[in-house]
Amino acid sequence: MEFDHRQLLSLLDDLMKPISTVKISSEDEEQQKILTINLIFSNAIDHFLEISKSISLIIPLNQDEHVYYRYIQIHINLIEKILSYEQKNISLHLPFFSIQDESILSRSLSFIILLGLVIHFDDGIFISIENYLKYSNTSIHLLKLKTLLTHHNRMYNINQILNFLMKSIINSNKNSFLIQRLCSNYLLELILSHLQLLYSPNLKYCSENFSLKNLQENLNYLQENFSNLFIQQILLLNRLLSTTINSPLWLKNHCGNILTSILINSNNHGIQQILETIFESTLPNDRLYISIAKIFSTCPKQLKPNEYIQCIKYQFIELIHNKRFMPVICISINELFKKYSKLIENEIFSILFQPLILCHNQLSNEICTNEQLELFIDDLDNLLNIISNEQIRIYLYENYLNELINIYIALEKSLSSLKIKFFNILKILFSSMNIEICIEYFKKILFDFKYLSLKYLPDLSIKFNLIIDKNNENNIEIYCQLIIKILFSIDNNDYLIVKIFLDLLQLLITNKQLNQSYIWTENDKQLNIKQYKIMLILKYTMEYLTEHIDIFIKNVDDTIKVVQIILEKITKTCQEKAKENLLTKITIDNDNDNDDDDLSSDNEALQIIFTIASLLITHYDQLSFENKQILASFYPSLIWIEQNHSNNELCQLAHELSIAFITYGAIKEQTTKIKSTLLIEELNNERDLREETFQNALTCLSDSSIPIRAHGLILFRRLIERNDKETLNKIENDNINLFQRFQEHLHADDSYEYLAAINVFNALTNQYTDKILPLLCNEYINKNRKLEDKLKVGEILVKTCRLLGDMSTKYSSLLINTFLNASKQTDDDMYRASALSNLGQLCTVLKYSLSKDLPEILIALKSYLSISESSNVRRASILVCELLCQSLEQSTWLTILGNELLSFYQLINYLYKNDKDDIVCLHAQIALEVLNKICQDYLQPSVILEKKIRILS
């Protein structure tokens, strides 16, 4: 006879009512409590049998079984009939049971799990009883029935119940409410039941032989068909066992074995499954990443390290490319590398770092494709950006720094978008080193670098590849520029830059007893190349430090002491050379030339030292007393060099610097005629002439001494810059012809006085632009002035334009014509290059105002970029093109270039593809990138999703 499922559910509800609210007095003894529970079960069974008999429902029960077990048999029979009925009428769209029906079935499943499985678990297996019945006290009372059971009873009963549940799961529709409820809420209990029947030590007390094969197959079925939930429950069980006292050791071991089998799953998705399961229930964070990484980096006891890494390496390599799992994998690789460095290097790094290995071994001219290089750079970036991965950073720069620098150079010379990301990787690598190690590796890549002739070029299918081009030579100047770019990008690099600068400065001098003697043991060609590299690095570093004088001031103690030592050594060397020449009476011109060549590196070092000394003397007030004394000790060397050195340019520099020492009060000027000291503050007994007042400035300006007159001009500049009313009124009224007196100093022969006058006019530019700007322009193209003076005036002109900003449009023709005229003078390439550089800087200020003068500029640039011009002029010309492109804006670029766009683009494109000068190619490349970006933004402007909301009052 077939029963309606409503009848069955009603019977099930009646069956549970007396048990759900078991109330037993806490004063009763344990035996009395158990008797009371059994009585309640017995009454519930009798009541059910009476009702079921009236509707002809017969459920066979074994009276030899415990009363609670007979009660569970009734549940199982009813659930089996309801499940069968549900399978026949299940629908994918409409629920078969009502909410009340589902509540009844859920409670019934709780009874089956609690009394069919949990009550039979071995001691020490902990499951929260709150998961089952509504009142936890009821569950506690029911669990007391466990004391009546033998090991055989428990194993037999749990096997019977588990067989029924697994048969229902395997044979029923997965959309069944009962099956979904059972697996989602009680999968852990099912797993524990299987593990107990498979591995419990108490099985030896059971006379029944269970089918171990069938149990293992059922457990595998749960793992395969409910994989995410299964992993979640195993992880939960593993955590419970590790945090619960007296947890069974056998269960801990087998739980760990299951996790290991998932981790090294042959389908290569075990790690991903574990991570997905964890991330679904927990929000990813750094602490979670580290915890999971510790698990992944621990080799299971049943496997050897090499076997374990073989099982997981391809999973790691696949998942490192997944942004969601990448942090965990990177930390795991680093942790494994700490434990098994050689294994990880051979098994994982050999795949991830393949471009580096191919560069190192040079087995083929083709290193990698663009896709492979992009993947390699992404992997490298991910590995290095994880803070804890210090070991991998050390491994990279100890083993593959040469290859990394070669790839960096190849990318920087190309148009690839990967160059920025790769540059940041090198920045991270160098920033992670301490200062001593960084200096050591910086010298290695400077002096021991092995150039691989890498190029990043397109193939026949227009796909870019990284290849070795044997015909590609290393341009030392570009190489040094790229290396110094890394140095300047390093985080917190102030002390590092100064330290490297001072170390290289010591290497440059001719004293062969320095610690870094390896530089001087090579042949002459190698020596010359290394000296050239040092000079270039010193030049670029000096330019940087001049712009960031605060770095020198912060590290002035080290700087001033090293400069003192070097200056004394060079002076001593020059004195010895002079004595030797005097004693041996060497008068042959060729021999003198050879002596000059021998001291060429000393001369370079002297020029740099003079530059440093001039920076220090201009910040004299910020120096400590000890450093002021050291600085004053430079003066005798300066005087000797001024009077005795064979290089006229150095003599002049020493002369100007010695005057600056007097002007700033670093030393006292001694005269042969007057024994008294001539300090500025002692020129007038009644007044301190260093005080910045109009009267002091005017007094100094009328003095016969060059340093004092220069100081007067400096005082006027300072007064003008701070808008001193008295000074500005005197200049405006022109009662004492101040403007004309300033102009007279422009004819001074001494550079120090001349430049001080130029700076005064620069300070007056804001008030008298129309009058002063033409004056400065005339001084710039004055052929009678020294090169250094004209370069300084050009620098001031550019600075003035920047201060004027948009107002400089009024003077655009004057300025452009001045710089173009200067660029046409053929007597000095350095002067012409400087004029073009200034023109480029002017373009960045004028921007849209360039349109009327652009044709004239482009005609000049095309002429200068011809092969017949010197390299300095050509490089400066293409720099103007680059700065011109950088000054363009999306809204005005077509207006500025106009008809010149096509010829301008063709010019820089031709230079990029065909010019033999690498520096010209580099600037052309940058100009092309900027121009392409502007065109792209103009043709495909970014869409800004914006909605205006007006609130009406």
Side-chain angles (χ1 to χ4, degrees):
M1 177 179 178
E2 193 168 316
F3 296 93
D4 181 75
H5 75 286
R6 301 283 178 190
Q7 291 178 296
L8 297 173
L9 285 166
S10 178
L11 287 171
L12 199 56
D13 190 27
D14 289 340
L15 179 66
M16 291 185 289
K17 282 179 181 177
I19 310 299
S20 299
T21 55
V22 172
K23 292 182 180 179
I24 300 175
S25 174
S26 57
E27 297 178 357
D28 293 346
E29 295 181 359
E30 289 298 315
Q31 195 63 30
Q32 184 64 39
K33 291 177 182 178
I34 293 172
L35 290 173
T36 305
I37 293 169
N38 283 331
L39 181 61
I40 294 170
F41 276 120
S42 181
N43 291 337
I45 293 170
D46 292 341
H47 179 68
F48 171 79
L49 292 175
E50 287 180 12
I51 298 173
S52 63
K53 189 174 182 180
S54 64
I55 59 173
S56 302
L57 175 64
I58 300 174
I59 295 178
L61 297 173
N62 186 351
Q63 297 300 320
D64 294 334
E65 298 283 357
H66 289 87
V67 64
Y68 82 91
Y69 193 73
R70 279 181 277 145
Y71 176 80
I72 288 300
Q73 288 295 328
I74 297 173
H75 273 276
I76 288 175
N77 274 273
L78 292 174
I79 289 291
E80 188 175 17
K81 294 179 186 300
I82 294 170
L83 184 61
S84 176
Y85 192 87
E86 182 193 21
Q87 295 303 306
K88 295 176 183 178
N89 299 278
I90 196 166
S91 169
L92 295 175
H93 307 291
L94 297 173
F96 181 70
F97 298 114
S98 67
I99 295 176
Q100 185 178 1
D101 295 342
E102 290 179 354
S103 174
I104 294 170
L105 290 170
S106 298
R107 285 189 289 126
S108 178
L109 281 176
S110 296
F111 273 106
I112 293 173
I113 296 299
L114 178 63
L115 297 175
L117 298 181
V118 176
I119 200 174
H120 301 128
F121 284 163
D122 283 355
D123 294 336
I125 299 178
F126 172 81
I127 295 291
S128 176
I129 57 174
E130 295 174 356
N131 295 338
Y132 306 108
L133 305 186
K134 183 177 180 181
Y135 302 107
S136 57
N137 285 335
T138 304
S139 301
I140 293 172
H141 292 316
L142 295 181
L143 288 174
K144 291 177 180 177
L145 296 171
K146 186 175 181 178
T147 57
L148 302 175
L149 302 175
T150 64
H151 291 308
H152 172 79
N153 294 143
R154 289 192 300 103
M155 298 299 176
Y156 178 82
N157 292 347
I158 199 171
N159 184 58
Q160 295 298 314
I161 303 299
L162 188 60
N163 282 338
F164 162 73
L165 294 175
M166 288 306 301
K167 182 180 176 182
S168 301
I169 292 171
I170 294 171
N171 297 329
S172 300
N173 191 306
K174 298 299 179 291
N175 293 316
S176 164
F177 167 77
L178 280 164
I179 301 305
Q180 289 183 348
R181 182 75 177 179
L182 177 62
C183 294
S184 61
N185 284 27
Y186 305 113
L187 186 62
L188 180 58
E189 287 81 352
L190 295 174
I191 294 170
L192 284 169
S193 301
H194 280 93
L195 293 176
Q196 178 164 315
L197 290 173
L198 284 168
Y199 307 113
S200 173
N202 295 320
L203 285 170
K204 61 187 177 184
Y205 302 113
C206 181
S207 57
E208 189 80 17
N209 291 322
F210 306 123
S211 175
L212 299 181
K213 181 181 178 182
N214 187 49
L215 286 166
Q216 190 62 56
E217 287 176 354
N218 287 343
L219 186 61
N220 292 340
Y221 178 87
L222 291 176
Q223 181 175 343
E224 291 170 6
N225 290 273
F226 305 94
S227 57
N228 288 344
L229 191 57
F230 185 89
I231 294 171
Q232 184 182 25
Q233 298 304 313
I234 287 294
L235 289 171
L236 174 63
L237 177 59
N238 187 64
R239 188 167 63 184
L240 286 172
L241 292 172
S242 62
T243 56
T244 306
I245 301 174
N246 297 327
S247 297
L249 183 60
W250 64 268
L251 186 56
K252 285 183 180 179
N253 292 337
H254 288 291
C255 181
N257 291 343
I258 292 174
L259 269 178
T260 302
S261 66
I262 295 170
L263 197 66
I264 60 174
N265 196 343
S266 58
N267 65 13
N268 285 335
H269 296 296
I271 294 177
Q272 183 174 343
Q273 288 178 335
I274 290 174
L275 290 175
E276 284 176 346
T277 303
I278 294 172
F279 289 171
E280 282 174 7
S281 58
T282 309
L283 187 67
N285 57 72
D286 290 344
R287 290 182 64 185
L288 181 64
Y289 293 151
I290 294 170
S291 299
I292 299 172
K294 285 182 179 178
I295 297 173
F296 289 166
S297 60
T298 303
C299 179
K301 293 179 180 178
Q302 64 269 36
L303 294 175
K304 294 179 179 178
N306 61 324
E307 295 172 339
Y308 176 61
I309 291 169
Q310 282 289 344
C311 292
I312 63 170
K313 69 175 182 180
Y314 291 112
Q315 295 187 69
F316 274 12
I317 290 167
E318 180 182 351
L319 293 178
I320 199 175
H321 303 138
N322 187 315
K323 289 185 179 180
R324 188 184 182 195
F325 308 128
M326 177 272 296
V328 174
I329 301 304
C330 290
I331 298 173
S332 301
I333 291 174
N334 186 64
E335 292 298 320
L336 283 167
F337 184 66
K338 291 177 183 177
K339 299 176 182 178
Y340 318 109
S341 56
K342 201 65 182 175
L343 278 174
I344 297 301
E345 182 181 352
N346 295 335
E347 299 296 336
I348 295 181
F349 288 172
S350 62
I351 300 173
L352 293 179
F353 301 156
Q354 196 154 15
L356 293 178
I357 296 170
L358 290 172
C359 286
H360 184 76
N361 298 329
Q362 298 184 45
L363 299 177
S364 170
N365 286 342
E366 294 185 4
I367 301 300
C368 60
T369 64
N370 181 66
E371 291 78 12
Q372 292 169 335
L373 183 62
E374 186 172 3
L375 198 64
F376 159 70
I377 292 175
D378 285 341
D379 292 343
L380 199 56
D381 185 54
N382 292 335
L383 280 169
L384 296 181
N385 271 313
I386 303 300
I387 297 174
S388 62
N389 286 9
E390 191 66 31
Q391 294 294 323
I392 295 179
R393 296 178 188 179
I394 295 171
Y395 168 79
L396 280 169
Y397 65 67
E398 283 184 350
N399 295 276
Y400 292 110
L401 187 61
N402 196 83
E403 289 71 24
L404 288 167
I405 296 297
N406 271 293
I407 295 174
Y408 162 64
I409 293 171
L411 286 174
E412 287 292 324
K413 289 181 179 179
S414 72
L415 289 171
S416 172
S417 60
L418 298 174
K419 65 171 75 172
I420 298 174
K421 198 166 193 176
F422 196 79
F423 177 77
N424 289 332
I425 288 172
L426 290 179
K427 177 183 173 182
I428 292 170
L429 268 182
F430 279 94
S431 297
S432 65
M433 303 178 190
N434 62 44
I435 289 179
E436 288 73 20
I437 293 176
C438 190
I439 293 173
E440 177 188 348
Y441 280 101
F442 185 81
K443 288 180 180 177
K444 280 185 179 180
I445 61 176
L446 191 60
F447 302 128
D448 301 330
F449 176 69
K450 296 178 183 177
Y451 186 62
L452 298 182
S453 303
L454 288 181
K455 269 198 171 183
Y456 188 69
L457 296 172
D459 58 14
L460 296 176
S461 60
I462 322 180
K463 291 184 178 179
F464 280 85
N465 298 315
L466 189 65
I467 63 170
I468 296 178
D469 183 4
K470 301 292 185 182
N471 299 320
N472 181 24
E473 294 184 359
N474 185 19
N475 184 301
I476 295 177
E477 192 169 344
I478 290 182
Y479 174 71
C480 290
Q481 286 178 350
L482 296 176
I483 296 304
I484 209 71
K485 181 181 175 183
I486 298 174
L487 176 63
F488 293 160
S489 71
I490 297 173
D491 297 334
N492 303 317
N493 64 355
D494 291 358
Y495 179 71
L496 174 66
I497 291 175
V498 173
K499 188 78 172 85
I500 289 178
F501 176 79
L502 296 175
D503 280 5
L504 293 180
L505 191 58
Q506 291 184 75
L507 283 175
L508 188 61
I509 66 174
T510 54
N511 188 342
K512 299 183 181 180
Q513 296 179 353
L514 289 172
N515 292 333
Q516 298 88 341
S517 59
Y518 64 87
I519 282 193
W520 314 106
T521 60
E522 307 268 337
N523 59 44
D524 291 340
K525 183 179 178 181
Q526 291 294 324
L527 172 62
N528 291 335
I529 291 173
K530 290 178 177 179
Q531 282 188 339
Y532 182 50
K533 286 180 180 178
I534 293 173
M535 290 176 186
L536 286 173
I537 296 295
L538 288 173
K539 171 191 169 187
Y540 300 139
T541 311
M542 194 69 240
E543 291 172 357
Y544 178 86
L545 291 172
T546 304
E547 294 175 3
H548 301 81
I549 185 62
D550 56 305
I551 297 178
F552 258 142
I553 301 303
K554 280 193 288 186
N555 299 281
V556 69
D557 292 342
D558 293 329
T559 304
I560 202 166
K561 289 173 184 175
V562 172
V563 169
Q564 181 190 27
I565 293 169
I566 295 174
L567 184 59
E568 289 175 355
K569 285 183 178 178
I570 294 176
T571 306
K572 185 177 179 181
T573 302
C574 293
Q575 289 172 344
E576 290 174 355
K577 183 66 67 175
K579 286 180 182 178
E580 181 184 340
N581 290 342
L582 184 63
L583 291 172
T584 56
K585 297 183 180 180
I586 296 175
T587 57
I588 302 172
D589 291 340
N590 291 336
D591 291 345
N592 288 335
D593 293 339
N594 291 335
D595 292 339
D596 290 340
D597 291 339
D598 291 340
L599 294 172
S600 61
S601 59
D602 287 1
N603 294 347
E604 293 288 341
L606 270 178
Q607 286 188 341
I608 294 170
I609 286 171
F610 288 168
T611 305
I612 298 172
S614 65
L615 292 173
L616 293 174
I617 197 65
T618 53
H619 294 79
Y620 184 72
D621 292 341
Q622 300 179 34
L623 301 180
S624 66
F625 176 76
E626 181 184 356
N627 288 334
K628 285 180 179 179
Q629 287 184 317
I630 296 174
L631 189 63
S633 70
F634 293 3
Y635 188 73
S637 297
L638 293 176
I639 296 300
W640 189 93
I641 292 169
E642 177 188 348
Q643 296 173 355
N644 300 288
H645 204 282
S646 58
N647 188 302
N648 293 330
E649 185 178 351
L650 288 175
C651 291
Q652 180 63 27
L653 288 173
H655 170 68
E656 293 173 1
L657 195 55
S658 61
I659 292 175
F661 270 52
I662 297 171
T663 304
Y664 283 92
I667 52 93
K668 298 178 180 180
E669 184 183 34
Q670 302 289 341
T671 63
T672 55
K673 297 180 181 178
I674 304 172
K675 299 297 182 181
S676 61
T677 57
L678 185 63
L679 282 174
I680 292 175
E681 60 267 30
E682 295 173 2
L683 287 174
N684 191 317
N685 295 328
E686 298 178 357
R687 189 191 301 120
D688 183 1
L689 294 182
R690 289 185 304 179
E691 187 180 350
E692 293 180 4
T693 63
F694 175 78
Q695 287 301 323
N696 282 354
L698 190 61
T699 302
C700 290
L701 195 64
S702 305
D703 198 90
S704 59
S705 172
I706 291 175
I708 304 303
R709 290 201 303 269
H711 182 68
L713 290 167
I714 290 171
L715 288 178
F716 268 115
R717 174 180 60 79
R718 292 175 181 172
L719 290 167
I720 294 167
E721 285 176 348
R722 72 170 190 231
N723 296 322
D724 181 71
K725 290 183 179 180
E726 183 181 2
T727 306
L728 293 178
N729 287 335
K730 294 287 185 183
I731 294 172
E732 188 173 352
N733 296 331
D734 206 22
N735 295 333
I736 54 175
N737 297 324
L738 262 181
F739 198 88
Q740 185 178 352
R741 295 180 68 176
F742 293 152
Q743 200 167 345
E744 289 173 358
H745 290 277
L746 292 178
H747 304 295
D749 293 330
D750 187 84
S751 294
Y752 188 66
E753 183 181 356
Y754 170 75
L755 292 177
I758 289 291
N759 283 325
V760 171
F761 284 110
N762 179 45
L764 285 168
T765 306
N766 282 338
Q767 288 89 353
Y768 306 98
T769 310
D770 292 344
K771 192 173 181 180
I772 290 176
L773 205 56
L775 187 67
L776 292 176
C777 289
N778 287 332
E779 287 299 318
Y780 184 65
I781 57 177
N782 186 350
K783 294 184 178 181
N784 297 324
R785 300 304 314 183
K786 290 191 298 185
L787 173 64
E788 293 81 359
D789 296 344
K790 290 192 286 186
L791 294 182
K792 184 66 177 178
V793 175
E795 183 183 330
I796 288 173
L797 278 173
V798 173
K799 181 180 176 183
T800 302
C801 294
R802 292 195 182 281
L803 289 173
L804 290 173
D806 292 339
M807 290 296 294
S808 59
T809 303
K810 177 180 177 182
Y811 310 99
S812 60
S813 296
L814 171 67
L815 293 165
I816 289 172
N817 289 334
T818 298
F819 291 133
L820 284 177
N821 285 333
S823 68
K824 292 175 184 176
Q825 297 184 19
T826 57
D827 54 343
D828 195 319
D829 288 341
M830 185 64 70
Y831 176 52
R832 297 176 65 199
S834 172
L836 288 167
S837 175
N838 293 335
L839 179 62
Q841 296 295 328
L842 181 63
C843 289
T844 62
V845 177
L846 293 177
K847 296 183 180 178
Y848 59 84
S849 306
L850 280 170
S851 53
K852 61 179 180 178
D853 298 299
L854 188 62
E856 186 180 355
I857 294 173
L858 291 181
I859 289 171
L861 293 178
K862 288 176 185 177
S863 173
Y864 298 153
L865 286 166
S866 63
I867 301 300
S868 59
E869 286 287 358
S870 69
S871 60
N872 285 336
V873 174
R874 295 181 73 252
R875 291 171 181 178
S877 301
I878 193 62
L879 175 63
V880 177
C881 295
E882 177 192 332
L883 293 172
L884 178 60
C885 289
Q886 291 178 354
S887 68
L888 298 175
E889 296 176 350
Q890 186 176 338
S891 57
T892 58
W893 72 284
L894 272 178
T895 307
I896 296 172
L897 292 176
N899 296 330
E900 303 294 335
L901 174 60
L902 180 60
S903 61
F904 181 64
Y905 182 82
Q906 288 174 340
L907 172 66
I908 57 178
N909 192 42
Y910 175 82
L911 290 169
Y912 170 64
K913 291 183 177 178
N914 301 293
D915 205 276
K916 294 182 179 180
D917 190 326
D918 288 339
I919 294 179
V920 173
C921 290
L922 182 62
H923 286 303
Q925 172 195 334
I926 296 171
L928 273 178
E929 288 176 353
V930 175
L931 198 56
N932 289 339
K933 179 72 169 59
I934 293 173
C935 294
Q936 184 179 356
D937 292 343
Y938 180 79
L939 296 173
Q940 296 177 337
S942 57
V943 179
I944 300 175
L945 299 177
E946 185 179 85
K947 182 178 181 181
K948 291 185 178 179
I949 299 175
R950 291 192 177 95
I951 301 174
L952 300 177
S953 59

